[in-house]
Amino acid sequence: MSLLMNNRYGISLFLFFCLMSLPFAEVSQAQGPSAGLSPEKINSKVSSRVKSNEEGPEKSGKSQAFEFTVIAHRGASGYLPEHTLEAATLAFALNADFIEQDVVITKDDIPIVLHDIHLETVTNVESVFPERAREDDRFYARDFTLAELRRLNVHEREDKSQNRVFPSRFSATTSRFSIATLYEHFDLISELNRQLGKNIGVYPEVKSPAFHLAEGVDASRIVIDALQAFNFDGAQDNSYLQCFDFSEVKRIRSELGYKGKVVMLIGENDWKESSTDYTWIRSAEGMAEVAKYANGIGPWVPQLFNQNDAKSKKIEAANWVTHAHSNNLTIHPYTYRQDALPPGITGPHLLDALRNIVKVDGIFTDHVPPVLSWREQRRSNVDGAQ
């Protein structure tokens, strides 16, 4: 059975849902360049929330025997345009354990939440700034100030031919979504945690750190500054910092002295995410080296299974996974998509295989509700057996 997943490639209803789910939340969003406030300026605003966030939510009384972390991949990206504040708000309302933020840096050195260093796949940059592409015909976020990026409209992800990657997702044509800063995302999540007595975590990724360093900006340092400003940077804090570049993971830990939890993302070499040799990373030597610097790994789901499964009709964990377990690395694979499941397998079947056969600790997902529903059902089964 093949487990390959395609990972590459009315606002009114939303507001009604959020009002029903969060009746007492009043979310304020910073506007304009002031959203790039320095850590010093924002620390005073955040400090009053820290005690509330550290106390966390009250115990639910449900069984803790079945643990499985649910990470909202780019926010609630299965329902609203990815990485927008609206998608983050919905992910919070859906009660994900963590909300992910991919981070790139603007021309004026402000961290924004955007999956790629390029803009054209999720915005209308081609029509707003038609002359601003580089020689490769790509539009780079690094070439625009935050004020310029505020003029763009964020839409559902498109491929190179401007076809929607996920045709069944959010299709309203008059809605307006904007690029937001990392500080705005952290501010939103922290404030909702404070008001609702929750402790939903953040899961930022430093995107293309080598590209940013070549552009003269230290993306990792900027992301760490933001984590520190919101008290998300401690070893016990509810956050993870992730990256596809192993050299940068080592630098984050050794040179930048980051104390929080770090995750080494694992791709395929032909994706050219970085100069990292991901085949070596999955070896016994590679996993042992990763464990010196990282708390966990984030592999692509197909990498976790024996690729001969289709012939044997038996689902087995890939051999390399034992190296991750032997080094006590947390495993948070990507990405569960309800609208892009492998042929011939149901969502619960896939999640069961990940949890029971591969023994992963959680999942990145575009669709939080079905994963939470599966988790609650499995917890109920555990409770019933006790």
Side-chain angles (χ1 to χ4, degrees):
M1 180 183 297
S2 173
L3 288 171
L4 290 178
M5 298 174 68
N6 180 14
N7 190 69
R8 293 189 184 180
Y9 302 10
I11 290 297
S12 59
L13 180 61
F14 164 70
L15 290 176
F16 172 78
F17 179 89
C18 285
L19 286 171
M20 293 295 291
S21 301
L22 303 173
F24 304 110
E26 296 179 0
V27 184
S28 62
Q29 301 173 7
Q31 301 294 324
S34 62
L37 290 173
S38 67
E40 292 79 9
K41 290 182 180 179
I42 207 161
N43 266 334
S44 60
K45 182 178 180 181
V46 176
S47 59
S48 63
R49 306 175 186 163
V50 175
K51 187 176 187 297
S52 174
N53 287 349
E54 286 179 346
E55 291 171 352
E58 294 181 2
K59 298 290 185 180
S60 65
K62 295 181 180 179
S63 172
Q64 296 302 305
F66 190 91
E67 290 300 324
F68 193 85
T69 301
V70 179
I71 306 148
H73 184 242
R74 310 179 200 173
S77 57
Y79 310 98
L80 289 168
E82 64 185 51
H83 280 323
T84 57
L85 286 172
E86 290 86 350
T89 304
L90 180 54
F92 193 103
L94 293 172
N95 212 30
D97 299 313
F98 289 87
I99 302 172
E100 184 196 31
Q101 304 82 28
D102 295 313
V103 187
V104 300
I105 312 301
T106 68
K107 186 176 183 179
D108 41 355
D109 293 347
I110 294 173
I112 57 170
V113 179
L114 189 73
H115 181 258
D116 307 303
I117 58 175
H118 310 111
L119 292 162
E120 65 274 9
T121 54
V122 292
T123 75
N124 62 338
V125 65
E126 307 100 312
S127 60
V128 180
F129 298 104
E131 307 301 323
R132 298 282 290 275
R134 293 195 183 186
E135 292 182 359
D136 60 0
D137 293 326
R138 305 298 301 272
F139 294 81
Y140 288 75
R142 179 63 182 162
D143 294 336
F144 297 82
T145 65
L146 178 62
E148 290 174 325
L149 293 171
R150 297 288 198 194
R151 295 173 56 187
L152 305 181
N153 188 37
V154 177
H155 54 64
E156 282 289 335
R157 177 164 291 274
E158 298 176 344
D159 61 20
K160 294 180 180 179
S161 301
Q162 294 187 316
N163 297 314
R164 289 161 58 92
V165 175
F166 300 101
S168 65
R169 296 191 181 181
F170 191 82
S171 59
T173 57
T174 59
S175 306
R176 179 75 166 84
F177 300 93
S178 301
I179 289 174
T181 71
L182 182 61
Y183 282 82
E184 287 173 324
H185 276 261
F186 283 0
D187 202 21
L188 172 73
I189 295 166
S190 295
E191 179 63 9
L192 289 176
N193 275 333
R194 181 190 69 80
Q195 292 189 80
L196 298 170
K198 294 189 177 183
N199 192 24
I200 290 175
V202 300
Y203 213 124
E205 177 190 342
V206 180
K207 298 297 294 187
S208 305
F211 164 82
H212 282 101
L213 287 171
E215 292 283 316
V217 60
D218 188 342
S220 294
R221 178 72 270 173
I222 290 174
V223 173
I224 289 172
D225 284 345
L227 285 162
Q228 291 174 337
F230 285 88
N231 298 287
F232 281 132
D233 62 315
Q236 303 304 317
D237 290 326
N238 208 21
S239 67
Y240 287 89
L241 177 59
Q242 55 180 335
C243 188
F244 273 102
D245 190 326
F246 186 45
S247 295
E248 194 67 9
V249 165
K250 291 190 287 186
R251 179 174 172 269
I252 286 168
R253 190 66 88 194
S254 300
E255 181 181 328
L256 300 181
Y258 185 65
K259 303 300 183 183
K261 294 183 287 294
V262 176
V263 165
M264 174 69 214
L265 293 170
I266 304 176
E268 294 290 331
N269 290 341
D270 61 357
W271 298 357
K272 301 187 185 303
E273 284 283 348
S274 73
S275 60
T276 301
D277 181 354
Y278 298 112
T279 302
W280 174 80
I281 286 288
R282 297 195 298 272
S283 69
E285 180 186 9
M287 282 289 105
E289 194 67 14
V290 166
K292 295 178 182 178
Y293 304 94
N295 304 88
I297 56 171
W300 185 36
V301 165
Q303 295 169 333
L304 294 169
F305 294 96
N306 186 337
Q307 295 306 303
N308 294 322
D309 287 344
K311 296 180 181 179
S312 67
K313 297 183 179 180
K314 181 181 179 181
I315 300 176
E316 297 177 333
N319 293 334
W320 72 268
V321 177
T322 60
H323 306 318
H325 288 307
S326 64
N327 284 283
N328 297 314
L329 289 165
T330 297
I331 305 177
H332 289 162
Y334 60 91
T335 307
Y336 177 92
R337 293 184 168 110
Q338 188 73 12
D339 54 1
L341 291 169
I345 189 169
T346 66
H349 190 185
L350 175 59
L351 293 167
D352 282 340
L354 287 166
R355 175 61 163 74
N356 300 327
I357 297 175
V358 184
K359 301 188 185 306
V360 304
D361 301 285
I363 191 75
F364 284 85
T365 179
D366 293 4
H367 299 94
V368 170
V371 181
L372 288 180
S373 178
W374 166 85
R375 185 174 72 178
E376 287 306 305
Q377 180 60 52
R378 296 306 179 270
R379 282 181 173 173
S380 296
N381 292 345
V382 170
D383 288 341
Q386 288 178 343

